[in-house]
Amino acid sequence: MALVETVLHLLAKEAFRSNPKLILPERLGLDNKRLVMKPSLEVETEFLRLEYNDSKTIIPDLYVRALGYDLFVEVAVTHFADSAKIQRLREHKIPADEIDLSKPPRDSLRVAINEAVLKTATRRWLYHPGIEAARAKQDADELKWQQGRGRREAAATAKYRSWVEQTAAAYRQALANPVGRDFVVPREVELQAIGLAKFVGRDVPGFACFSEPPAVWQAIILAEVFHDRCLGNAQCKAVPIVNHLEKRRLIQKAFLRVSSEVADDVTAIDARFAPAWKAVDNYLKYLLGEGVLIPQGFGFILAPAFAKPWNERTLAANQRTTLIQETVQRVGWILGKLPEDERAGTTVEQWLQSIHQESGLTYDRALRSEVEAPKIIGEIETIVQMLEGNGPLFYGSAGLPIGNAISRRKAKMEEQAEVRRQRQLLETSRLRHSRRSVLDGNLLFRNLPYFMKIERRPTRRCLRGHACGRAE
């Protein structure tokens, strides 16, 4: 084996004598202080000597010059450069690469050996100052990044702790200063009518995260989420609901988007704390226990005992709203039918804000009253029919300047009544004259001689159609 290795070494050295070209392997390097991978390169070499040695006991297989620099070339068959040799090369500061001749068959021809040495054999850099500089830069960059990472992590930890402490302090303050002492429960009338009013206003853990008292945001959950279905096809559970409340600006800024990690650490400081999504979840569990909600999929829905009457009430309210809108449009039509001097600039909005005499409410509020709305709607419809000319007189005003219109309609109706009376008189007279004519005709007939009254009978005819008799 040693003899074969020696022969391969000699053939490799002979290859450099016959062809001074050499393929250098790719290597790590610097380009304008940036780490790059420099590609392999074919270079012209100048053969200096077969072997080289010095006081550092470096004995390379080949010693050449390439690109203006000295270069050691090691040919490895069975023994490759170890770390000790590489360290000696590093200390000598002369670039060195190693050509691996362990792969070609031992009986390869000279041409194959030459090709492997100069081009095709695997090769690597044992030492190159460019590689050392690049690795030094790489190590410096890594150290700098690690130091920066440490600073960033320390800053992030400090920021996180500060966030936790600020959240805990903000919650303590929120508990000490409750929000919304004077508030209005949204859609309270509906909740009372359906029997849900008693289920709002619960101080569940985390209630102080909200910018309104529990009665407000809990009423919104029942009305907008479970009745109006504002979430669409999304599951009615804690996180989507709290996102809706956030859009409604019902969560205080200090408690927006509190992660579970922060929430756990804040709870460790103050056990009374719970994030907004947890407060909603606690409220949903309360409603579930009271039978207000029932499970559906991964979320909840309103129990049928509450959902059905609420839907029926909403349908009736929508129908009433439609009637109100039609009535307001009719008022606009009525005002448009009046002469400008009678209308005196009255607008629909002014009419809505005027006072309904019977109730003392504005017409706007009276129209929304279940008691007053039907009467006002009926009055406006009667006025429209009157102005269209196919209805009775309206005795009143319904808050509209229609006095002259009523007078005109009354005069018109009296005129029409007079016309009808005259027509009736003419018809009566005609009928009287007609009856008189009939009576006179009957009297004349009675006074005629008897023989003029005899009815002439037709001549009798036989079966053949010939006259065969006289009139009797």
Side-chain angles (χ1 to χ4, degrees), residues 149-170:
R149 177 183 177 182
R151 289 192 297 270
R152 290 191 298 271
E153 289 179 350
T157 300
K159 184 177 180 180
Y160 177 83
R161 294 308 310 169
S162 175
W163 185 13
V164 170
E165 292 169 1
Q166 288 176 5
T167 303

Side-chain angles (χ1 to χ4, degrees), residues 8 12 75-77 80 99-104 106 113 116-117 121-122:
L8 287 174
V75 177
V77 179
F80 294 85
I99 300 174
D100 181 4
L101 288 184
S102 63
K103 301 294 188 297
R106 297 295 184 263
I113 297 298
V117 170
T122 303

Side-chain angles (χ1 to χ4, degrees), residues 372-401:
E372 304 298 336
K375 294 186 290 184
I376 297 173
I377 291 171
E379 290 174 353
I380 297 301
E381 186 173 356
T382 301
I383 294 172
V384 170
Q385 292 175 353
M386 181 190 73
L387 294 180
E388 286 179 338
N390 55 11
L393 280 175
F394 177 74
Y395 295 97
S397 67
L400 295 168

Side-chain angles (χ1 to χ4, degrees), residues 87-229:
Q87 179 59 33
R88 290 197 302 273
L89 290 170
R90 184 178 290 111
E91 292 171 357
H92 201 281
K93 299 186 182 304
I94 293 180
D97 76 339
E98 183 179 68
I99 300 174
D100 181 4
L101 288 184
S102 63
K103 301 294 188 297
R106 297 295 184 263
D107 57 352
S108 298
L109 298 177
R110 180 188 297 270
V111 174
I113 297 298
N114 290 349
E115 183 72 10
V117 170
L118 299 176
K119 295 182 180 180
T120 61
T122 303
R123 57 204 67 210
R124 63 167 179 151
W125 285 104
L126 299 176
Y127 167 76
H128 193 288
I131 297 176
E132 297 294 311
R135 287 176 176 168
K137 176 70 166 54
Q138 193 175 33
D139 292 342
D141 290 346
E142 177 67 17
L143 178 61
K144 184 178 179 180
W145 184 86
Q146 291 290 352
Q147 292 173 343
R149 177 183 177 182
R151 289 192 297 270
R152 290 191 298 271
E153 289 179 350
T157 300
K159 184 177 180 180
Y160 177 83
R161 294 308 310 169
S162 175
W163 185 13
V164 170
E165 292 169 1
Q166 288 176 5
T167 303
Y171 196 76
R172 288 193 294 269
Q173 184 177 1
L175 289 173
N177 302 296
V179 296
R181 297 181 182 276
D182 298 323
F183 61 89
V184 176
V185 178
R187 298 167 68 168
E188 185 175 15
V189 174
E190 293 179 59
L191 294 171
Q192 288 178 345
I194 304 304
L196 291 173
K198 62 183 179 182
F199 298 108
V200 301
R202 299 289 166 172
D203 289 346
V204 295
F207 74 91
C209 291
F210 297 87
S211 58
E212 293 290 345
V216 174
W217 58 267
Q218 291 170 9
I220 288 175
I221 288 176
L222 286 172
E224 296 184 6
V225 174
F226 287 103
H227 176 61
D228 298 348
R229 300 179 183 177

